[in-house]
Amino acid sequence: MESLNGFKRSDFCGLVKSSHIGKTLSVCGWVQRRRDLGQLLFIDLRDRTGILQLAFDDATARDVFEKALSVRSEYVLAVTGVLRERSSKNKDLPTGDVELEVSSLRILAVSETPPFEITENSDVNDTLRLKYRYLDLRRPDMQRAIALRHKVVKIARDYFDENGFYEIETPILTKSTPEGARDYLVPSRVHPGKFYALPQSPQQYKQLLMLSGFDRYFQIARCFRDEDLRADRQPEFTQIDLEMSFVDTDDVIAVNEGFLKKVFKDVLGVEIKTPLLRLPYSEAMARFGSDKPDLRFGLELCDISDLVKNCGFKVFKDPVEQGGSVRCIVVPGGADAFPRKQIDALVEFVKTYGAKGLAWTRLGKDGTSSSFAKFLTDDENNSIIARSGAKTGDLILVVADSRDKTVFAALGALRCECAKRLSLLNKGDYRLLWVTEFPMFDYSEEEGRYVAMHHPFTAPLDADIGKIESDKKSCRAKAYDIILNGTELGGGSIRISTPDMQETMFRALGLTHEDTHARFGHLLEAFKYGAPPHGGLAFGLDRLVMLLTGAESVRDVIAFPKVQNASELMTSAPDVVDKKQLDELFLEHKQKSED
RNA sequence: GGCCCAGUAGUUCAGUUGGUUAGAACGCCAGCCUGUCACGCUGGAGGUCGACGGUUCGAGCCCGUUCUGGGUCGCCA
């Protein structure tokens, strides 16, 4: 192996231009491919910018040529030579007009044959990719994703700086709070038996920074939640987190629309029209069955409860009587697009969302078939078709349930599934919107009480202040989510900024005075000293980058992600630790408490 | 915690009704080759069919359990 020994890189491989022809260049990188023609040898050298062809000629530089013969895939080279025009050009390569005639070759590192080829969009299974993540990251598409992620972070820093935000770090070792996700806990050595929690978000700290008078804060914040993973959910993730003083909903929305506009322009060259659409939560649910609607296609929900509330079909009639609803979507052309077998699959699909079944009517060109028409009168059937706007060739899909929540969940998911099956989702189509006026409270079946839908520091709508304790069900919050193509990109709220209101909120959540003060005493105490009205928002950086790159999982835009069981395949974290480490944390505590 | 999908050579996959010695492509190794660029040609090496158990005269294939990875429901203020 050789050292650099005075070698200085003059250029990156992928950035070499035809205008450099005749100049002596020095480049370094990894061997992508070797083509041995006998007395002529080509090596494609790769760095993060791209590929440059190196040429070795036995006749003109025998020593270098013979050295080059030993080179294999992924060896690390530093070479110097004169750039020359190729006799035959490669149109597929940005540097395809030129090649480097190598006069000096240093082999800086050898490499074993990698367990998979380092190529664009390689189709290797995730286990292997993640075990050798450092090799996976060499692939050009991964390099681009990570570079794009850097660019988004850079835009965030520049944009929020230009708009008067300070970047301020908040602690990683912090205090566990109830409400919300499971915390990751870190045992304290100095305080045996006590634990830090890793932050689920910097929520309380950023609010306190507003109280401290910093006016505008942002942070590229690592957050931790000990919950099960999904394609768009990692236990450890990054937020672009921000908070502003003396603002209401419109102010927070405006500054963040500016940020999104800039990101889309600078990263994708896409012009986003602002102000963005805003949908109240209730309308989003009624029209799309979701608080994160995908607006790239229609298939809107239609409420037919009133048309079937007196019908003879118990499956429709009973849910309406029990306070639920009957709703449908119309799939244009669905009568032909979805044969019986596919409809059966859709029936199974909605069951995973708790629906008991899926009723349907196919308005085929050669006649109508239906799973429920025979139970209704002609008038009832016709009124459903009229209300839904279904035409010949369409398919009507109906979900009935005694709980609206289930109807929305099933139909909301079903409309996305149908869109996917009909290929209605166009790449390059970016539909952003705000969902606003979320309910303040959500009833938790598990806990048998109302919990904060957003978090307990969220302020109610001015019009609903009186409902916090008296009418939880219809009390709305100054909370807003930013949605892109059916994915929640971020969310935030205007916060409660007076101790009275905060105490009222905790009381409404059924927390005792003792609980409240043990867990949030610092916040309540702080609010006594003059908090400005404030609010903010946090973007999921991973999700934003995922959508910008077109990746299907946040794993593809995180350098070292975790797998579904929250372990990391490369390092095998989490892992057992030495007994000595454990004893320091727990044994001494145990002995003390036994004394 | 539930449901669904996948696991065969280094990689991506094929493998018929359960039947002789498990195949292909790429990669790897060797030889030949002066204009390749997914170089080409010739030859070669390479397999605990994820693991364990069962059914069977016989299992990559059928059954059970389990492990690993993925998707998803619950969960994720």
Side-chain angles (χ1 to χ4, degrees):
Chain A
M1 263 358 76
E2 298 166 271
S3 64
L4 283 173
N5 193 22
F7 176 92
K8 294 278 182 220
R9 174 165 60 191
S10 70
D11 291 272
F12 280 99
C13 295
L15 303 180
V16 168
K17 299 274 184 316
S18 303
S19 56
H20 294 150
I21 287 170
K23 290 187 176 143
T24 299
L25 306 181
S26 295
V27 297
C28 25
W30 285 259
V31 173
Q32 178 68 38
R33 201 173 278 280
R34 197 180 70 122
R35 288 178 293 277
D36 180 357
L37 276 67
Q39 285 166 306
L40 191 59
L41 177 68
F42 299 103
I43 287 175
D44 289 339
L45 197 66
R46 182 194 71 239
D47 63 22
R48 75 180 201 191
T49 62
I51 278 174
L52 179 66
Q53 175 167 286
L54 310 178
F56 298 85
D57 193 332
D58 186 28
T60 55
R62 164 148 278 174
D63 289 354
V64 178
F65 177 83
E66 281 180 358
K67 195 166 167 185
L69 283 179
S70 72
V71 166
R72 293 293 182 273
S73 285
E74 301 306 317
Y75 276 30
V76 182
L77 309 181
V79 298
T80 301
V82 174
L83 195 73
R84 68 185 178 197
E85 194 170 7
R86 288 200 202 180
S87 47
S88 62
K89 316 226 184 309
N90 181 347
K91 281 175 195 148
D92 298 331
L93 214 58
T95 62
D97 287 354
V98 295
E99 67 184 6
L100 199 69
E101 184 185 11
V102 177
S103 54
S104 160
L105 165 66
R106 289 177 176 80
I107 299 176
L108 300 178
V110 298
S111 170
E112 291 187 10
T113 303
F116 51 86
E117 279 184 82
I118 313 298
T119 55
E120 179 112 25
N121 302 318
S122 77
D123 197 14
V124 179
N125 86 60
D126 287 347
T127 315
L128 200 66
R129 284 180 60 192
L130 291 174
K131 185 176 174 196
Y132 296 95
R133 185 58 158 181
Y134 42 85
L135 298 179
D136 189 44
L137 287 170
R138 284 183 186 171
R139 295 166 39 215
D141 43 328
M142 291 305 297
Q143 293 262 322
R144 273 199 303 275
I146 298 299
L148 190 147
R149 185 183 173 111
H150 160 74
K151 191 168 181 181
V152 172
V153 170
K154 172 81 166 89
I155 291 167
R157 289 209 154 98
D158 290 347
Y159 177 84
F160 288 112
D161 172 62
E162 284 159 15
N163 282 275
F165 289 75
Y166 289 168
E167 182 168 6
I168 306 174
E169 290 151 281
T170 53
I172 293 294
L173 294 176
T174 173
K175 177 167 159 154
S176 181
T177 54
E179 308 273 310
R182 252 178 237 112
D183 287 319
Y184 277 103
L185 296 177
V186 180
S188 162
R189 177 184 58 80
V190 182
H191 303 278
K194 293 188 174 177
F195 295 84
Y196 298 99
L198 304 182
Q200 297 176 26
S201 87
Q203 184 60 37
Q204 294 181 45
Y205 289 106
K206 67 174 176 177
Q207 289 191 236
L208 292 171
L209 287 170
M210 295 304 96
L211 189 139
S212 298
F214 287 105
D215 204 87
R216 292 184 170 200
Y217 138 98
F218 86 102
Q219 183 181 193
I220 310 301
R222 306 308 293 281
C223 303
F224 307 85
R225 292 178 190 174
D226 187 5
E227 296 292 345
D228 286 353
L229 283 72
R230 290 283 189 284
D232 62 356
R233 229 157 71 189
Q234 285 271 307
E236 176 181 359
F237 61 101
T238 307
Q239 289 184 342
I240 302 173
D241 187 49
L242 60 102
E243 195 77 5
M244 308 164 72
S245 297
F246 307 108
V247 293
D248 212 331
T249 304
D250 288 354
D251 306 298
V252 179
I253 283 182
V255 82
N256 284 294
E257 286 185 350
F259 169 64
L260 288 169
K261 205 177 172 75
K262 189 165 166 61
V263 167
F264 275 84
K265 185 82 194 355
D266 292 2
V267 174
L268 296 179
V270 169
E271 204 67 60
I272 298 288
K273 277 192 196 125
T274 51
L276 298 171
L277 175 70
R278 294 189 206 179
L279 282 184
Y281 173 87
S282 56
E283 186 182 344
M285 295 306 285
R287 289 176 57 192
F288 304 101
S290 170
D291 60 359
K292 41 177 197 264
D294 191 333
L295 299 187
R296 288 176 293 175
F297 56 94
L299 303 177
E300 290 191 25
L301 276 59
C302 174
D303 190 348
I304 55 170
S305 304
D306 58 305
L307 304 179
V308 297
K309 68 181 176 195
N310 296 316
C311 76
F313 188 34
K314 279 174 75 77
V315 169
F316 287 175
K317 187 186 169 197
D318 290 356
V320 180
E321 277 177 1
Q322 290 158 13
S325 60
V326 182
R327 296 168 201 259
C328 67
I329 60 173
V330 174
V331 184
D336 295 325
F338 294 153
R340 188 56 199 273
K341 207 173 164 186
Q342 282 217 43
I343 293 177
D344 289 345
L346 294 178
V347 175
E348 290 311 306
F349 177 82
V350 296
K351 285 182 183 171
T352 64
Y353 294 87
K356 296 189 183 59
L358 180 68
W360 51 270
T361 293
R362 286 169 78 177
L363 302 172
K365 290 188 185 77
D366 39 5
T368 296
S369 58
S370 174
S371 69
F372 64 85
K374 61 189 168 200
F375 301 111
L376 305 185
T377 66
D378 287 350
D379 277 356
E380 284 162 347
N381 279 314
N382 288 333
S383 67
I384 290 172
I385 292 169
R387 167 78 60 83
S388 68
K391 293 186 284 292
T392 302
D394 294 351
L395 171 68
I396 305 174
L397 299 168
V398 187
V399 172
D401 200 274
S402 58
R403 295 169 39 164
D404 271 349
K405 210 174 172 179
T406 303
V407 176
F408 287 141
L411 280 179
L414 187 64
R415 81 175 265 280
C416 294
E417 178 66 17
C418 289
K420 207 185 293 174
R421 288 176 186 234
L422 294 169
S423 306
L424 299 179
L425 308 174
N426 298 322
K427 270 201 170 161
D429 194 4
Y430 299 96
R431 297 299 179 93
L432 281 154
L433 79 149
W434 296 97
V435 173
T436 60
E437 297 179 19
F438 274 79
M440 234 3 217
F441 302 98
D442 192 20
Y443 189 76
S444 165
E445 308 269 338
E446 191 188 330
E447 300 187 45
R449 66 175 178 103
Y450 279 96
V451 298
M453 190 161 192
H454 190 53
H455 58 57
F457 317 114
T458 303
L461 279 192
D462 295 332
D464 291 355
I465 286 178
K467 295 181 178 173
I468 290 188
E469 292 189 278
S470 62
D471 187 7
K472 293 195 185 73
K473 207 176 163 192
S474 69
C475 185
R476 292 161 300 170
K478 287 187 179 177
Y480 32 80
D481 278 359
I482 178 73
I483 310 301
L484 171 57
N485 293 355
T487 296
E488 181 192 330
L489 260 195
S493 63
I494 299 301
R495 327 297 184 187
I496 294 169
S497 54
T498 63
D500 286 356
M501 180 66 81
Q502 190 63 66
E503 296 251 25
T504 303
M505 181 63 185
F506 284 139
R507 206 161 51 236
L509 291 170
L511 299 175
T512 65
H513 189 76
E514 288 74 27
D515 267 358
T516 305
H517 280 262
R519 289 160 173 175
F520 303 108
H522 52 285
L523 203 69
L524 292 169
E525 175 77 6
F527 280 174
K528 293 178 189 167
Y529 296 98
H534 62 286
L537 180 128
F539 290 100
L541 174 66
D542 312 281
R543 285 183 186 174
L544 176 58
V545 176
M546 173 180 87
L547 292 166
L548 290 170
T549 57
E552 298 199 342
S553 163
V554 288
R555 284 193 304 274
D556 287 336
V557 299
I558 295 173
F560 300 103
K562 292 182 171 56
V563 298
Q564 196 170 43
N565 64 15
S567 64
E568 206 229 296
L569 296 180
M570 190 181 69
T571 60
S572 308
D575 209 344
V576 295
V577 296
D578 289 344
K579 186 170 178 300
K580 190 172 165 245
Q581 276 180 291
L582 276 181
D583 286 351
E584 269 189 340
L585 291 169
F586 296 112
L587 190 61
E588 289 168 24
H589 168 58
K590 203 179 155 201
Q591 285 167 344
K592 257 184 208 161
S593 54
E594 279 169 2
D595 287 346

